[in-house]
PDB file of all heavy atoms in Angstrom:
ATOM      1  N   CYS A 329      -3.762 -16.259  29.099  1.00  0.00           N
ATOM      2  CA  CYS A 329      -5.115 -15.721  28.949  1.00  0.00           C
ATOM      3  C   CYS A 329      -5.944 -15.995  30.212  1.00  0.00           C
ATOM      4  O   CYS A 329      -5.882 -17.085  30.797  1.00  0.00           O
ATOM      5  CB  CYS A 329      -5.808 -16.436  27.743  1.00  0.00           C
ATOM      6  SG  CYS A 329      -7.389 -15.602  27.326  1.00  0.00           S
ATOM      7  N   PHE A 331      -9.046 -16.246  30.221  1.00  0.00           N
ATOM      8  CA  PHE A 331     -10.219 -17.057  29.854  1.00  0.00           C
ATOM      9  C   PHE A 331      -9.822 -18.466  29.464  1.00  0.00           C
ATOM     10  O   PHE A 331      -8.635 -18.769  29.253  1.00  0.00           O
ATOM     11  CB  PHE A 331     -10.962 -16.372  28.728  1.00  0.00           C
ATOM     12  CG  PHE A 331     -11.462 -14.999  29.041  1.00  0.00           C
ATOM     13  CD1 PHE A 331     -11.233 -13.927  28.190  1.00  0.00           C
ATOM     14  CD2 PHE A 331     -12.139 -14.753  30.223  1.00  0.00           C
ATOM     15  CE1 PHE A 331     -11.644 -12.666  28.513  1.00  0.00           C
ATOM     16  CE2 PHE A 331     -12.601 -13.468  30.544  1.00  0.00           C
ATOM     17  CZ  PHE A 331     -12.329 -12.429  29.693  1.00  0.00           C
ATOM     18  N   HIS A 332     -10.800 -19.322  29.330  1.00  0.00           N
ATOM     19  CA  HIS A 332     -10.558 -20.729  29.020  1.00  0.00           C
ATOM     20  C   HIS A 332     -11.643 -21.201  28.040  1.00  0.00           C
ATOM     21  O   HIS A 332     -12.440 -22.080  28.368  1.00  0.00           O
ATOM     22  CB  HIS A 332     -10.592 -21.615  30.297  1.00  0.00           C
ATOM     23  CG  HIS A 332      -9.709 -21.086  31.375  1.00  0.00           C
ATOM     24  ND1 HIS A 332     -10.143 -20.188  32.307  1.00  0.00           N
ATOM     25  CD2 HIS A 332      -8.388 -21.291  31.596  1.00  0.00           C
ATOM     26  CE1 HIS A 332      -9.129 -19.882  33.123  1.00  0.00           C
ATOM     27  NE2 HIS A 332      -8.066 -20.528  32.701  1.00  0.00           N
ATOM     28  N   CYS A 333     -11.631 -20.603  26.870  1.00  0.00           N
ATOM     29  CA  CYS A 333     -12.663 -21.000  25.887  1.00  0.00           C
ATOM     30  C   CYS A 333     -12.447 -22.457  25.522  1.00  0.00           C
ATOM     31  O   CYS A 333     -11.327 -22.902  25.312  1.00  0.00           O
ATOM     32  CB  CYS A 333     -12.555 -20.117  24.657  1.00  0.00           C
ATOM     33  SG  CYS A 333     -12.735 -18.375  25.067  1.00  0.00           S
ATOM     34  N   PHE A 335     -13.011 -24.254  22.902  1.00  0.00           N
ATOM     35  CA  PHE A 335     -12.494 -24.610  21.585  1.00  0.00           C
ATOM     36  C   PHE A 335     -11.047 -24.178  21.399  1.00  0.00           C
ATOM     37  O   PHE A 335     -10.450 -24.429  20.329  1.00  0.00           O
ATOM     38  CB  PHE A 335     -13.357 -23.927  20.483  1.00  0.00           C
ATOM     39  CG  PHE A 335     -13.388 -22.420  20.663  1.00  0.00           C
ATOM     40  CD1 PHE A 335     -12.353 -21.642  20.206  1.00  0.00           C
ATOM     41  CD2 PHE A 335     -14.435 -21.844  21.332  1.00  0.00           C
ATOM     42  CE1 PHE A 335     -12.354 -20.281  20.393  1.00  0.00           C
ATOM     43  CE2 PHE A 335     -14.449 -20.458  21.524  1.00  0.00           C
ATOM     44  CZ  PHE A 335     -13.416 -19.688  21.051  1.00  0.00           C
ATOM     45  N   CYS A 336     -10.466 -23.486  22.388  1.00  0.00           N
ATOM     46  CA  CYS A 336      -9.197 -22.771  22.142  1.00  0.00           C
ATOM     47  C   CYS A 336      -8.024 -23.727  22.355  1.00  0.00           C
ATOM     48  O   CYS A 336      -7.843 -24.315  23.404  1.00  0.00           O
ATOM     49  CB  CYS A 336      -9.119 -21.584  23.057  1.00  0.00           C
ATOM     50  SG  CYS A 336      -7.583 -20.657  22.837  1.00  0.00           S
ATOM     51  N   TYR A 338      -5.000 -22.374  21.757  1.00  0.00           N
ATOM     52  CA  TYR A 338      -3.917 -21.384  21.761  1.00  0.00           C
ATOM     53  C   TYR A 338      -3.414 -21.009  23.170  1.00  0.00           C
ATOM     54  O   TYR A 338      -2.215 -20.852  23.384  1.00  0.00           O
ATOM     55  CB  TYR A 338      -4.444 -20.145  21.056  1.00  0.00           C
ATOM     56  CG  TYR A 338      -3.532 -18.937  21.070  1.00  0.00           C
ATOM     57  CD1 TYR A 338      -2.441 -18.866  20.210  1.00  0.00           C
ATOM     58  CD2 TYR A 338      -3.738 -17.908  21.970  1.00  0.00           C
ATOM     59  CE1 TYR A 338      -1.607 -17.782  20.267  1.00  0.00           C
ATOM     60  CE2 TYR A 338      -2.909 -16.817  22.004  1.00  0.00           C
ATOM     61  CZ  TYR A 338      -1.841 -16.746  21.139  1.00  0.00           C
ATOM     62  OH  TYR A 338      -0.979 -15.655  21.200  1.00  0.00           O
ATOM     63  N   TYR A 339      -4.327 -20.878  24.109  1.00  0.00           N
ATOM     64  CA  TYR A 339      -3.904 -20.318  25.402  1.00  0.00           C
ATOM     65  C   TYR A 339      -2.978 -21.285  26.137  1.00  0.00           C
ATOM     66  O   TYR A 339      -3.090 -22.513  25.974  1.00  0.00           O
ATOM     67  CB  TYR A 339      -5.091 -19.880  26.274  1.00  0.00           C
ATOM     68  CG  TYR A 339      -5.877 -21.001  26.930  1.00  0.00           C
ATOM     69  CD1 TYR A 339      -5.519 -21.553  28.167  1.00  0.00           C
ATOM     70  CD2 TYR A 339      -7.054 -21.478  26.316  1.00  0.00           C
ATOM     71  CE1 TYR A 339      -6.248 -22.536  28.751  1.00  0.00           C
ATOM     72  CE2 TYR A 339      -7.796 -22.497  26.917  1.00  0.00           C
ATOM     73  CZ  TYR A 339      -7.413 -23.010  28.106  1.00  0.00           C
ATOM     74  OH  TYR A 339      -8.139 -24.016  28.704  1.00  0.00           O
ATOM     75  N   GLY A 373      -3.653 -13.652  23.703  1.00  0.00           N
ATOM     76  CA  GLY A 373      -4.482 -13.950  24.868  1.00  0.00           C
ATOM     77  C   GLY A 373      -4.737 -12.696  25.663  1.00  0.00           C
ATOM     78  O   GLY A 373      -4.111 -11.656  25.472  1.00  0.00           O
ATOM     79  N   VAL A 405     -12.514  -8.980  22.352  1.00  0.00           N
ATOM     80  CA  VAL A 405     -12.304  -9.699  23.642  1.00  0.00           C
ATOM     81  C   VAL A 405     -11.289  -8.942  24.498  1.00  0.00           C
ATOM     82  O   VAL A 405     -11.537  -8.691  25.686  1.00  0.00           O
ATOM     83  CB  VAL A 405     -11.812 -11.105  23.374  1.00  0.00           C
ATOM     84  CG1 VAL A 405     -11.631 -11.872  24.674  1.00  0.00           C
ATOM     85  CG2 VAL A 405     -12.730 -11.874  22.422  1.00  0.00           C
ATOM     86  N   LYS A 453     -15.974 -14.943  28.188  1.00  0.00           N
ATOM     87  CA  LYS A 453     -15.467 -13.787  27.463  1.00  0.00           C
ATOM     88  C   LYS A 453     -16.586 -12.818  27.006  1.00  0.00           C
ATOM     89  O   LYS A 453     -17.797 -13.075  27.268  1.00  0.00           O
ATOM     90  CB  LYS A 453     -14.661 -14.265  26.241  1.00  0.00           C
ATOM     91  CG  LYS A 453     -15.532 -14.754  25.096  1.00  0.00           C
ATOM     92  CD  LYS A 453     -14.803 -15.679  24.129  1.00  0.00           C
ATOM     93  CE  LYS A 453     -13.708 -15.154  23.381  1.00  0.00           C
ATOM     94  NZ  LYS A 453     -13.205 -16.164  22.357  1.00  0.00           N
TER      95      LYS A 453
HETATM   96  S1  LIG B 785     -10.050 -17.937  22.392  1.00  0.00           S
HETATM   97 FE1  LIG B 785      -8.965 -16.068  23.042  1.00  0.00          FE
HETATM   98  S2  LIG B 785     -10.045 -15.434  24.873  1.00  0.00           S
HETATM   99 FE2  LIG B 785     -10.581 -17.584  24.549  1.00  0.00          FE
HETATM  100  S3  LIG B 785      -9.072 -18.747  25.771  1.00  0.00           S
HETATM  101 FE3  LIG B 785      -8.265 -18.594  23.665  1.00  0.00          FE
HETATM  102  S4  LIG B 785      -6.925 -16.802  23.729  1.00  0.00           S
HETATM  103 FE4  LIG B 785      -8.255 -16.656  25.533  1.00  0.00          FE
END
Side-chain angles (χ1 to χ4, degrees):
C329 190
F331 300 130
H332 309 90
C333 303
F335 56 82
C336 182
Y338 173 79
Y339 75 86
V405 181
K453 75 202 297 187

